[in-house]
């Protein structure tokens, strides 16, 4: 999972949001209990301007047990 998340982070920084979204969704499917890819997925949706999807993603992160302080 670490490689997928790091690659997705790189894609986000490079402005390749669609590719980052695909990588993060794959990381979440493979590691359903991981929190980091869910938070990054929310950020990617925000950068794409999809605020409702970002909100849904952050709610999912809260349900997974992420402290609310990690979600801005």
């Amino acid at each position: 999972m670490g490689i997928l998340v790091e690659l997705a982070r790189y894609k986000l920084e490079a402005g390749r949001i669609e590719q980052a979204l695909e990588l993060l969704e794959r990381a979440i499917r493979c590691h359903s209990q991981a929190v980091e890819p869910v938070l990054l997925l929310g950020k990617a949706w925000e950068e794409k301007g999809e605020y409702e999807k970002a909100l849904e993603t952050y709610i999912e992160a809260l349900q997974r047990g992420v402290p609310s302080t990690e979600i801005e």
Side-chain angles (χ1 to χ4, degrees), residues 27-38:
I28 291 167
R29 279 193 309 271
C30 293
H31 304 279
S32 62
Q33 299 303 314
V35 172
E36 185 179 11
V38 177

Side-chain angles (χ1 to χ4, degrees), residues 1 5 8-9 12 21 24-25 27-28 33-47 53-72:
M1 179 202 60
V5 172
R9 185 176 281 121
L12 274 175
L21 288 168
L24 290 166
E25 289 172 348
I28 291 167
Q33 299 303 314
V35 172
E36 185 179 11
V38 177
L39 292 174
L40 278 175
L41 182 61
K43 181 180 177 183
W45 283 123
E46 280 186 67
E47 288 188 25
K53 288 184 181 181
L55 180 60
E56 290 172 12
T57 303
Y58 292 137
I59 290 171
E60 180 182 340
L62 288 170
Q63 291 171 340
R64 289 175 184 238
V66 175
S68 59
T69 55
E70 290 188 39
I71 300 174
E72 299 176 9

Side-chain angles (χ1 to χ4, degrees), residues 3-24 40 43-44 47:
I3 294 171
L4 288 174
V5 172
E6 289 305 313
L7 185 55
R9 185 176 281 121
Y10 169 78
K11 297 288 186 180
L12 274 175
E13 290 171 2
R16 297 180 178 159
I17 298 170
E18 290 295 328
Q19 292 174 347
L21 288 168
E22 291 175 21
L23 289 167
L24 290 166
L40 278 175
K43 181 180 177 183
E47 288 188 25

